[in-house]
Amino acid sequence: MLKHTRGQLIAGMIAAAMLQVAHAAAWTLEEAAKPYSGTTIRMVGEALPPLEALSKLAPQFEQATGIKVEVEMYEHSEAVNKVQLDLNSQRGRYDVIIQPHREMGKFATNGHLLEIAPFMADAALRDPSFKPEEQLYQGAWKEISWYDGKMYGFPFTVLNMFMWYRSDLLADAKEKDGFKAKYGYDLAPAQNWDQYRDIAEWFNRPDQGLYGTALQGKRHEALWYEWLNFLYSFGGDVLDVQSGSQCGPVVVNSPQAIASLDYYKSLLAFSPPDSLNYFWDDVMALMQQAKVAELIMWNDATYAVAVDETASTVVGKVGFDIVPQGEGGKIGQLEGWTYLIPTYSKNPQAAFLFIQWMMGYDRQLEQHLNGGASGRPDVYESADVQKLPYAKASMASNEYGKPKATLPQSAEMTDILVRELSSSLAGEKSSKEALDASAKEISTLLGSCAPMSYPAQ
């Protein structure tokens, strides 16, 4: 009887495996999309090269499926605000929202998002060749597309910030001789913040239309994002936690954090006089126009400087490296925008099919080569991607990425820091005063799970 049972079990396993193989061979996008042909899915995201590349790929999906894709593109803050308004109203204008992962906690805890697991378990929808548990950067996927152990989406972009520098200037023989005579060491891409400041000082020549660096000092999310690179590199953080979804002690006013803000503000001396009105678009334009020697910027904006000859005058003249090191060692900023399906979507199945299709290798490669930032390691391994001048810097920054808060209160935390950092940059508060105020307000916002680790004035 035991042998018979065991034989039946083996036969069943073989039959199941054969059925799975048959299903894998039978599944096609065209067949899966038939029930949804003629529908229109609307999506929204940030107006940058990755979304522009998606928009150019979408007609291929439309031709294969009969599902029309309409893409709305807005500046970062506007893209976030439009989604928040739509979710709060529950109108369901959007079937796919592409949002920064700091919004995940708020969206998930308010019931605004559909979990992806049911779609992945639906044999009619799931492409058997799509295996995110094998094909994605697991740490980045779990940090930017999951919340509280639940899967809500897939990475649209896995982002980081790294250093851009004018390689032509740093290679110039006269510049090298003059720099070494003044500072006592060879001119080369900065490996630490002392070198970064020396290079910024050396090339700061406003009378020639050239600045040493360019800060994103506007009262905008860009200020917070930029300063985080300095905070992490100096050995500081906002909360003392291991993942973005955790609440923990507030450490944003630590000595390391204060030192990072002091240093950051010191760079204003080598930045354009209008820097308090700049955000990422402005400093990117400065580099495109050959008006700055070095800065810290996003990997998904790099294409517009390093590759796009229609927009940039410095193609072939810019180098890239990880953020300079401080007490915190090598760091990267783990950030990302995620494909999400709102609870109120009118076409969730069609939305899932499009997201799944976009996550395929060929589309990910095409998008990455046109300014994207894929979450697939095999895309980075492509010979074509490795030819991109910024590929190695982006990979290295991914390796050292630090998570940031995705708690439901993360937007309020960001607002607090943007306000206080801006006040300090404008000279209204010292670094300690600004960060003490931030620490107290963040601790009050988060409650008992977030006691202050350092005394505040």
Side-chain angles (χ1 to χ4, degrees), residues 18-228:
M18 291 177 65
L19 183 62
Q20 186 175 12
V21 170
H23 173 67
W27 192 94
T28 65
L29 175 63
E30 292 78 5
E31 192 66 28
K34 279 184 177 180
Y36 318 106
S37 181
T39 61
T40 297
I41 59 174
R42 292 183 175 86
M43 61 189 307
V44 60
E46 186 179 24
L48 279 177
L51 192 55
E52 293 167 2
L54 177 149
S55 185
K56 292 176 182 177
L57 288 167
Q60 298 177 26
F61 178 80
E62 295 172 6
Q63 185 174 4
T65 64
I67 300 170
K68 184 174 176 57
V69 181
E70 293 185 355
V71 183
E72 296 182 17
M73 306 185 200
Y74 301 99
E75 182 274 324
H76 180 111
S77 299
E78 190 175 3
V80 173
N81 291 337
K82 281 188 174 292
V83 165
Q84 188 65 61
L85 288 171
D86 189 58
L87 295 179
N88 289 341
S89 71
Q90 302 185 15
R91 290 181 307 164
R93 173 176 177 80
Y94 301 115
D95 300 293
V96 179
I97 56 174
I98 301 174
Q99 290 289 285
H101 79 285
R102 69 172 188 273
E103 303 290 332
M104 283 292 294
K106 179 170 59 179
F107 291 168
T109 56
N110 286 326
H112 290 323
L113 303 177
L114 292 177
E115 292 185 47
I116 293 295
F119 297 99
M120 297 288 286
D122 188 338
L125 295 173
R126 170 78 179 272
D127 181 349
S129 69
F130 179 44
K131 302 175 182 178
E133 66 281 359
E134 299 175 9
Q135 295 165 342
L136 299 178
Y137 284 114
Q138 294 302 296
W141 179 36
K142 296 292 176 62
E143 190 63 40
I144 71 176
S145 302
W146 293 56
Y147 190 79
D148 197 23
K150 296 177 181 178
M151 174 175 47
Y152 289 100
F154 301 106
F156 172 70
T157 48
V158 175
L159 302 180
N160 52 60
M161 297 185 78
F162 47 69
M163 180 175 66
W164 297 0
Y165 61 90
R166 287 281 300 283
S167 55
D168 60 331
L169 295 180
L170 269 63
D172 184 273
K174 290 183 178 179
E175 300 288 0
K176 293 174 79 72
D177 289 345
F179 183 90
K180 187 167 186 178
K182 180 172 182 178
Y183 296 101
Y185 63 94
D186 291 331
L187 177 61
Q191 299 302 300
N192 59 56
W193 291 115
D194 288 340
Q195 294 171 3
Y196 189 88
R197 181 159 46 197
D198 288 346
I199 292 169
E201 181 183 55
W202 176 252
F203 285 108
N204 192 53
R205 302 164 189 175
D207 58 326
Q208 300 176 25
L210 178 65
Y211 293 90
T213 189
L215 300 189
Q216 301 169 38
K218 185 175 182 177
R219 187 170 288 198
H220 182 276
E221 293 97 333
L223 169 58
W224 171 71
Y225 276 122
E226 183 176 51
W227 173 66
L228 287 178

Side-chain angles (χ1 to χ4, degrees), residues 230-243:
F230 297 82
L231 174 68
Y232 297 156
S233 183
F234 272 67
D237 211 327
V238 178
L239 301 178
D240 186 11
V241 294
Q242 298 301 310
S243 73

Side-chain angles (χ1 to χ4, degrees), residues 307 369 380 382-392:
V307 180
L369 290 172
Y380 275 96
S382 160
D384 288 334
V385 170
Q386 286 297 308
K387 292 176 185 176
L388 294 172
Y390 52 89
K392 289 180 173 57

